[in-house]
Amino acid sequence: MAVATLTFGDRLAEEVERKRSQLVVGLDPLPDLIPVEVRDDVARFCCGIVDAVAPHAVAVKPQLAFFEALGAEGMAAFAETCVYARRAGLLVIADGKRGDIGSTARAYAAAYLDGEEPLADALTVNPYLGRESIEPYLAAARRYGTGIFCIVKTSNSAGDVQDVKLSDGRLMWQHVAQLVAEWGEDLVGEHGLSSVGAVVGATHPRAVSEARKLMPQAIMLLPGVGAQGAKPGDLARAFTSGPASALVNASRSINYAFRGSGDDFRAAAGAEAARLKSEIWSVSGW
Amino acid sequence: MAVATLTFGDRLAEEVERKRSQLVVGLDPLPDLIPVEVRDDVARFCCGIVDAVAPHAVAVKPQLAFFEALGAEGMAAFAETCVYARRAGLLVIADGKRGDIGSTARAYAAAYLDGEEPLADALTVNPYLGRESIEPYLAAARRYGTGIFCIVKTSNSAGDVQDVKLSDGRLMWQHVAQLVAEWGEDLVGEHGLSSVGAVVGATHPRAVSEARKLMPQAIMLLPGVGAQGAKPGDLARAFTSGPASALVNASRSINYAFRGSGDDFRAAAGAEAARLKSEIWSVSGW
């Protein structure tokens, strides 16, 4: 099996340092919210956001659910958006939170992460089906230099599952954080970051600090800033493993910035991305 | 909000009793395995299987990963297969193991379960994001008479997550089983079965019996029979809550039955489905 010359962690770290940005822009094309002039063309909306944020963000994170809800046409728009974003110099994190076993997990890896020109650079995944369900993504990471972000603690109140107390006193999400650290051990690149990252809700700043300690080499993807109310200022500790050791995601506050400003949707998204990028970089202390 | 006259549990129960079948046929279109004559037309393969198994099965379970791996064209084939199967009198269980929060979960519900003519009758979902992530599916169930099957204990060896011991002595999957029972409490139909079902791997017969006790009103979807090695004979206790209280899924042993027999793929699938249906019905004791 050929080994990718550059790991996902290294590719990301280089982009973060080059652009001085840890901003990820989520792409959440909600038909009711997108501008009238592109309402029937989700790909055009998404590519417009890509153009606007490309100088300011390191990655985009298209949310698969919103494309799936539009059927086959939506999935075509998803693919078009991914190709367009990669050409614009952005990494693509497909947000699908997939999780399945055996050859089904291999099919998800094939759909998003395999091949010389995969649709995405990384995929969000769900840990509930255990290490075996993660293996195909690890194989893709080794071979193609792609990565995953495993859900650890989400930005909603999922305490009924994630905060359940284990017999050794830890909480469920802390156990999953340790699994994520183990799964990613063999995939640490030259920047000290693994291609197995973690999703930790920015809405839980204390958990973010603790997650950093449990997964020192994981890139943390932090959603919840903007529309969900989290503040970049609370996230400084996430960045202690390096400038690229955490990424802050904002989706709606950028996608739909025009709804507050009245500007062109691209101009409004670009301005909000530029502002947020600087705020995050300054918080990160790098 | 209008209430569906018939719940998913009731619709399923009526079909099970009418057809005297608890068989679900998984649709796993793997390009390397499907017959040469339909290799470039996954929908034709799936619809061929649908025709062959419609008299013997109560539902088909298309595995989304295999359609997603074929891109937008695959998703068009998925939709075509769902519509075709429902017209053939089969219920459709979309196997996506989706799980996300807020408006993203609502988008998944919209993609598969909402509306007067939803693509699927039920969707498999992942519990890791907690009750809030399940709510949109419950709303769809109340309104449109659709359902979900929540992953509880999978047929692989996911012990690193699902068998973790909690502070009260239960295992993680047992906790999730109790959550599933709670989530489904308000959706129990006239047949005593909830529209919130559970996926429990047939490869763990002891867990199946225990899951039955923890979730007396949940319809259990039991994968792992056939290619994965589980035997229907081990599953009798799953059926103690009624003829429709458990469904046994087989995918590859039916989809690819022709590879052993040399028959036409439809004829081979139909014969294997008929055989398995009778074996399961007899095991169920109804």
Side-chain angles (χ1 to χ4, degrees):
Chain A
M1 195 183 270
V3 173
T5 41
L6 225 49
T7 66
F8 172 70
D10 283 336
R11 290 198 290 135
L12 181 78
E14 287 172 19
E15 284 306 294
V16 165
E17 290 175 28
R18 189 174 71 80
K19 284 188 172 170
R20 299 173 63 86
S21 172
Q22 300 108 336
L23 176 66
V24 174
V25 175
L27 300 174
D28 284 15
L30 283 153
D32 292 349
L33 293 179
I34 71 179
V36 178
E37 70 264 32
V38 290
R39 193 149 291 173
D40 298 324
D41 192 342
V42 161
R44 221 176 114 214
F45 173 67
C46 292
C47 294
I49 299 286
V50 164
D51 284 335
V53 305
H56 315 299
V58 281
V60 285
K61 181 179 74 62
Q63 169 52 258
L64 271 157
F66 298 117
F67 296 91
E68 279 174 72
L70 303 172
E73 215 175 295
M75 293 304 277
F78 171 80
E80 189 181 335
T81 301
C82 290
V83 170
Y84 192 85
R86 298 187 75 191
R87 282 198 194 134
L90 290 161
L91 296 173
V92 173
I93 302 169
D95 196 357
K97 301 188 177 67
R98 299 300 194 246
D100 216 308
I101 67 176
S103 66
T104 307
R106 286 197 293 280
Y108 281 131
Y112 301 106
L113 302 178
D114 276 3
E116 298 309 323
E117 287 290 336
L119 270 186
D121 297 285
L123 175 69
T124 60
V125 303
N126 185 305
Y128 190 71
L129 283 78
R131 185 186 172 112
E132 189 214 301
S133 72
I134 303 296
E135 284 291 349
Y137 312 122
L138 303 182
R142 280 188 287 269
R143 183 156 186 179
Y144 301 110
T146 49
I148 53 173
F149 290 92
C150 183
I151 311 171
V152 170
K153 182 158 174 68
T154 45
S155 58
N156 69 331
S157 55
D160 47 352
V161 176
Q162 295 167 20
D163 292 347
V164 167
K165 203 170 186 179
L166 306 188
S167 61
D168 60 9
R170 291 177 304 158
L171 304 183
M172 187 63 195
W173 75 263
Q174 296 166 331
H175 172 65
V176 170
Q178 289 185 305
L179 291 178
V180 166
E182 286 167 33
W183 295 341
E185 260 171 10
D186 299 338
L187 282 157
V188 176
E190 292 179 5
H191 289 73
L193 296 170
S194 173
S195 297
V196 178
V199 178
V200 181
T203 46
H204 312 289
R206 217 177 296 173
V208 169
S209 305
E210 213 183 318
R212 178 74 293 158
K213 289 177 203 149
L214 291 168
M215 303 174 286
Q217 297 178 307
I219 299 163
M220 290 206 282
L221 176 61
L222 309 170
V225 165
Q228 289 181 65
K231 301 266 176 298
D234 296 334
L235 305 172
R237 290 197 186 157
F239 295 93
T240 52
S241 295
S245 64
L247 302 171
V248 176
N249 180 78
S251 304
R252 310 225 179 140
S253 59
I254 292 175
N255 293 193
Y256 306 114
F258 73 95
R259 296 176 71 92
S261 70
D263 289 346
D264 171 78
F265 79 92
R266 286 158 287 240
E272 177 58 13
R275 190 197 67 70
L276 195 52
K277 163 207 161 161
S278 302
E279 185 182 353
I280 298 163
W281 185 262
S282 141
V283 161
S284 79
W286 294 94
Chain B
M1 195 183 269
V3 173
T5 42
L6 226 50
T7 67
F8 172 70
D10 282 335
R11 290 198 290 135
L12 181 77
E14 287 172 18
E15 284 306 294
V16 164
E17 291 174 29
R18 190 175 70 80
K19 285 188 171 170
R20 298 172 64 87
S21 171
Q22 300 108 338
L23 176 66
V24 174
V25 175
L27 299 174
D28 284 14
L30 283 153
D32 292 350
L33 294 180
I34 71 179
V36 179
E37 69 265 32
V38 291
R39 192 149 292 173
D40 299 324
D41 192 343
V42 161
R44 222 176 114 215
F45 172 68
C46 292
C47 295
I49 298 286
V50 164
D51 285 333
V53 306
H56 314 300
V58 281
V60 286
K61 181 180 74 61
Q63 170 51 258
L64 272 157
F66 298 117
F67 296 91
E68 279 173 72
L70 302 172
E73 215 176 296
M75 293 305 276
F78 171 80
E80 189 182 335
T81 301
C82 291
V83 170
Y84 192 86
R86 298 188 75 192
R87 282 197 193 135
L90 289 162
L91 295 173
V92 173
I93 302 169
D95 195 358
K97 301 187 177 67
R98 299 301 194 247
D100 215 308
I101 67 175
S103 65
T104 308
R106 286 197 293 279
Y108 281 130
Y112 301 107
L113 302 178
D114 276 3
E116 297 310 323
E117 286 290 335
L119 271 186
D121 296 285
L123 174 69
T124 60
V125 304
N126 186 305
Y128 190 70
L129 283 79
R131 183 183 174 115
E132 190 214 301
S133 71
I134 304 295
E135 283 291 350
Y137 311 122
L138 303 183
R142 278 189 288 269
R143 184 156 186 178
Y144 302 110
T146 49
I148 53 173
F149 291 91
C150 183
I151 311 171
V152 170
K153 182 156 174 70
T154 45
S155 58
N156 69 332
S157 55
D160 47 351
V161 176
Q162 295 167 20
D163 292 346
V164 167
K165 203 171 188 178
L166 307 189
S167 61
D168 60 10
R170 291 177 304 158
L171 304 183
M172 187 63 195
W173 75 262
Q174 295 165 332
H175 171 66
V176 170
Q178 289 185 305
L179 291 178
V180 165
E182 287 167 31
W183 296 340
E185 260 171 10
D186 298 338
L187 283 157
V188 176
E190 292 179 7
H191 289 74
L193 297 170
S194 173
S195 298
V196 178
V199 179
V200 180
T203 47
H204 313 287
R206 217 177 298 172
V208 169
S209 305
E210 213 183 320
R212 178 73 295 157
K213 289 177 205 149
L214 291 168
M215 302 175 287
Q217 297 179 306
I219 299 162
M220 291 205 283
L221 177 59
L222 309 170
V225 164
Q228 290 181 64
K231 300 269 176 294
D234 296 332
L235 304 173
R237 291 198 185 157
F239 295 93
T240 52
S241 295
S245 65
L247 303 171
V248 175
N249 179 78
S251 304
R252 311 228 177 136
S253 59
I254 293 175
N255 292 193
Y256 305 114
F258 73 95
R259 298 177 70 91
S261 71
D263 288 345
D264 171 75
F265 79 92
R266 286 158 288 239
E272 176 58 12
R275 190 198 65 72
L276 194 53
K277 163 208 162 160
S278 302
E279 185 182 353
I280 297 162
W281 186 263
S282 141
V283 161
S284 79
W286 293 92

